Amino acid sequence: MEGTNPVNKKLAAALSGGAVLVLALSGCGGSEDNKELDAWAKKVCDLVPAQNKKITAAYDAITKAAEDTESTPVELQKADSQAFQDLSDGYKARATVISNAGAPPGAEDGAKKLQDAVKQLTALATAYADMKTQVDGLDTKDQAKFATGLKDVSAEMKKVETQRQTALTALKDLESGDTKQALAEQSGCKQASTSPAGSASATDS
């Protein structure tokens, strides 16, 4: 597997820290008494632990596959393909949840921020689905071609990382101010912010 594993490790490195997106709703402090906003936050946070678990597990699976020096091309392809599918499903579910919840009550430009976050999360989900298609098309019977294909996947991951950062920014924009405080009080979001991947959160305050 010489020539293949180092490339896959680069792929895993490109994915590291990706769980910060689902953890963007961790915050601090308490919200003012706003029952409508609290109800909105509950809709969002009740499903966060499941989404967080799926996305984090996908990143872990890619890292594990990359670190396994005994992995065959077929095994690497299978692990990465499933992980990209799970990432796509996870971020699509995240977009669906906030879309169904609607704009945060009382938030300034809430509808616009919601639309932008849903758009960016959906685009990210599509990008990961495309990554799965790319991995599924790799030639596992020819080690040299497989290694070259993994390099292409790694290069594509850099573009997806940019999309992930854009989605994170949109999500944080939606979940700012009183909205962030309301989310921080919900048990589901508290659970996400204290998970093992919580250290990757970009919203510590």
Side-chain angles (χ1 to χ4, degrees):
M1 290 303 296
E2 183 180 356
T4 299
N5 199 261
V7 176
N8 207 52
K9 285 188 176 182
K10 289 181 180 179
L11 177 63
L15 287 165
S16 64
V20 299
L21 182 56
V22 83
L23 298 175
L25 21 71
S26 59
C28 57
S31 65
E32 297 176 357
D33 188 17
N34 187 331
K35 292 183 179 180
E36 289 186 359
L37 184 56
D38 288 341
W40 178 90
K42 189 175 189 305
K43 286 182 184 179
V44 174
C45 290
D46 280 355
L47 296 175
V48 165
Q51 295 164 1
N52 182 54
K53 182 178 180 181
K54 189 180 189 73
I55 291 172
T56 302
Y59 287 124
D60 288 345
I62 290 176
T63 301
K64 183 178 180 180
E67 292 176 346
D68 186 356
T69 57
E70 301 301 320
S71 292
T72 65
V74 172
E75 291 169 338
L76 284 171
Q77 181 187 52
K78 182 179 179 180
D80 289 347
S81 176
Q82 184 60 57
F84 284 133
Q85 181 64 62
D86 288 345
L87 287 168
S88 179
D89 292 343
Y91 288 125
K92 184 177 180 179
R94 186 81 175 84
T96 299
V97 167
I98 63 174
S99 178
N100 290 342
E108 184 177 355
D109 294 329
K112 183 178 183 300
K113 291 178 180 178
L114 173 70
Q115 184 179 20
D116 188 37
V118 171
K119 177 183 177 181
Q120 297 300 336
L121 286 167
T122 301
L124 183 61
T126 299
Y128 278 122
D130 290 343
M131 292 295 299
K132 170 182 163 52
T133 299
Q134 186 174 351
V135 168
D136 288 344
L138 296 179
D139 187 348
T140 57
K141 295 180 180 179
D142 187 313
Q143 183 171 309
K145 288 183 179 179
F146 184 72
T148 299
L150 272 185
K151 287 182 180 179
D152 292 338
V153 170
S154 183
E156 188 65 25
M157 271 307 305
K158 293 180 180 179
K159 299 178 183 178
V160 178
E161 171 63 16
T162 299
Q163 284 187 268
R164 189 182 69 79
Q165 291 295 338
T166 300
L168 174 59
T169 298
L171 191 61
K172 289 174 68 176
D173 194 28
L174 173 67
E175 299 168 348
S176 59
D178 289 342
T179 302
K180 178 180 178 179
Q181 295 173 350
L183 289 165
E185 292 185 346
Q186 298 299 319
S187 60
C189 288
K190 285 181 179 178
Q191 182 178 336
S193 66
T194 56
S195 70
S199 59
S201 176
T203 59
D204 293 337
S205 56

